Amino acid sequence: MRRAAAQAAGGERSAAAKLDEAIGLARAIDLEVKQSGIVMLNALRPATYLGKGKVDEIAGLVKSFEAGIVIMDCALTPVQQRNLEKAWNAKVLDRTALILEIFGRRAHTREGALQVEHAHLTYQKSRLVRSWTHLERQRGGFGFLGGPGETQLEADRRMIEERLAKIESELAKVKRTRALHRKSRRRVPYPIVALVGYTNAGKSTLFNRMTQASVLSADMLFATLDPTLRGVALPHGARIILSDTVGFISDLPTMLIAAFRATLEEVIEADVILHVRDVSHEDAEAQLQDVEKILRELGIDARSDSGHKHALIEVWNKIDRLGKSERERLTNIAERRPPADRPVPVSALTGEGVDMLAATIEAKLAAGRVLIELRIDPADGAGVSWLHRHTEVIDKTINEEGHIAMTVRVDPAQAAAVKAKFALTAHPEKH
Ligand SMILES: Nc1nc2c(ncn2[C@@H]2O[C@H](COP(=O)(O)OP(=O)(O)O)[C@@H](O)[C@H]2O)c(=O)[nH]1
Ligand SMILES: [Mg+2]
């Protein structure tokens, strides 16, 4: 695959960072990147975006690599896309098309899938309108309205609009019943640990490192789950589900923002969120702000660490890329933070710090365990012994009415099952 990064303005470093990101995005849909580069542009060509020399040069590269796809990290008009596809004899994706492709693969929830389809259709619709305007101009204005080509376009547009309206009403319905869906979606009995962070931060590398070492990842229970979820056994025996998510993308096209948020829906479900950061990245600080802003909008406050539901660990990844002094500086900053929100420096690549991360997750999970008070019929001896086997029993007394009052501590993931088992007697959980 040959990729051209068209960078009209901006410094060289940021162009390089954008190129890295685009390569990361292409890999996220399992494309093999054969060649990549930055193209400096003096002027945009309406017909081909790039100048003739560049188009020819890339045509040669496409041929020699036998590439099937060229990704242009910019916004192409439908005409430009078509002309380039013809010139290169390869499929051409622009930035929005590439991101839509990624979101489409990663939308797990019904809402996510609907939002992505909505964004896709909106994208197609905008392109229909644009190419229609283009045809009009070529034919010399409004004189040809009602011609055969235009009828087809109008029909296409109406079809898209009808589908959009249908999706919108379905989305409204899904949102109304969201809480319900959430409850039934949770079928796995282990706490969920979700990886979030920018594209290229190292989420998938960390995901693989943590799951490869674990016997659990080959477990039957997980064999049928999708590849972005895997079981991991932590050092002291706690079991978790690790969930890789779609990464943050810089300068996300506006029409894709809702779809992106919807693909993060499952993060709200997580018991622990690992915010993976590339601390060797020049934009690390701005990326941190972006991620925390979106998390807050999802109701996850990265800074307070008060709720047990959203325990968050900042993972400072790629420390192997830091020089000695920069590494010491960051380690000092990390160590000065209070234990509850102390970042964990790691290298997903070399494995350094990953043990510490596992231990930190384990500690967070223990801290996140919830207390449940139950009142049990004294005749229910089986129930009492079940509780002794499956939960941590904190307190057990006989109250005035002769009931057994029990206080037990469980993983948040277990709480629902315990409450359901003793449905009539459970009290609201206390943290
Ligand atoms: N030097 C170094 N590179 C890393 C590390 N973690 C990931 N990478 C590289 O960063 C790139 C993006 O990693 P990936 O896991 O795909 O990021 P994701 O987009 O967040 O899933 C890949 O080329 C990885 O090899 C690390 O700890 N150190
Ligand atoms: Mg990834």
Side-chain angles (χ1 to χ4, degrees), residues 150-165:
E150 188 238 311
T151 310
Q152 186 53 49
L153 283 166
E154 285 228 307
D156 286 353
R157 192 150 49 150
R158 197 176 44 250
M159 251 173 60
I160 289 181
E161 266 157 16
E162 277 164 12
R163 181 70 194 139
L164 278 172

Side-chain angles (χ1 to χ4, degrees), residues 260-431:
F260 171 63
R261 291 221 178 105
T263 60
L264 280 182
E265 266 288 290
E266 59 202 10
V267 172
I268 303 173
E269 284 288 274
D271 299 282
V272 176
I273 294 166
L274 301 185
H275 175 186
V276 181
R277 298 182 55 201
D278 174 358
V279 288
S280 73
H281 197 285
E282 51 177 336
D283 297 329
E285 204 48 44
Q287 292 182 341
L288 170 73
Q289 306 300 331
D290 286 349
V291 172
E292 290 191 342
K293 179 162 172 277
I294 298 273
L295 289 179
R296 272 198 301 277
E297 283 164 10
L298 291 169
I300 299 159
D301 196 341
R303 285 284 151 214
S304 80
D305 199 50
S306 54
H308 295 299
K309 181 68 188 156
H310 293 124
L312 185 137
I313 301 169
E314 245 182 75
V315 182
W316 287 3
N317 192 33
K318 305 202 187 181
I319 52 167
D320 59 285
R321 297 187 65 198
L322 301 176
K324 192 165 176 287
S325 65
E326 180 60 6
R327 202 181 158 115
E328 272 168 14
R329 194 180 72 83
L330 284 179
T331 312
N332 280 332
I333 295 173
E335 278 167 2
R336 260 182 269 125
R337 292 248 200 106
D341 58 17
R342 186 167 297 162
V344 184
V346 306
S347 167
L349 200 66
T350 67
E352 186 185 354
V354 173
D355 287 349
M356 173 60 96
L357 178 61
T360 309
I361 295 170
E362 227 162 19
K364 281 273 186 222
L365 285 173
R369 285 161 74 87
V370 296
L371 286 178
I372 304 176
E373 287 182 24
L374 302 162
R375 219 169 13 163
I376 298 157
D377 191 319
D380 187 8
V384 172
S385 71
W386 186 91
L387 285 168
H388 277 289
R389 264 180 290 125
H390 291 96
T391 72
E392 196 182 335
V393 176
I394 306 295
D395 190 36
K396 186 168 119 189
T397 53
I398 310 282
N399 68 13
E400 310 88 74
E401 294 113 69
H403 289 113
I404 303 171
M406 284 179 81
T407 305
V408 299
R409 184 149 61 198
V410 298
D411 281 342
Q414 231 186 326
V418 173
K419 279 191 246 174
K421 196 168 165 67
F422 300 93
L424 298 172
T425 53
H427 289 262
E429 74 190 47
K430 282 196 289 192
H431 290 282

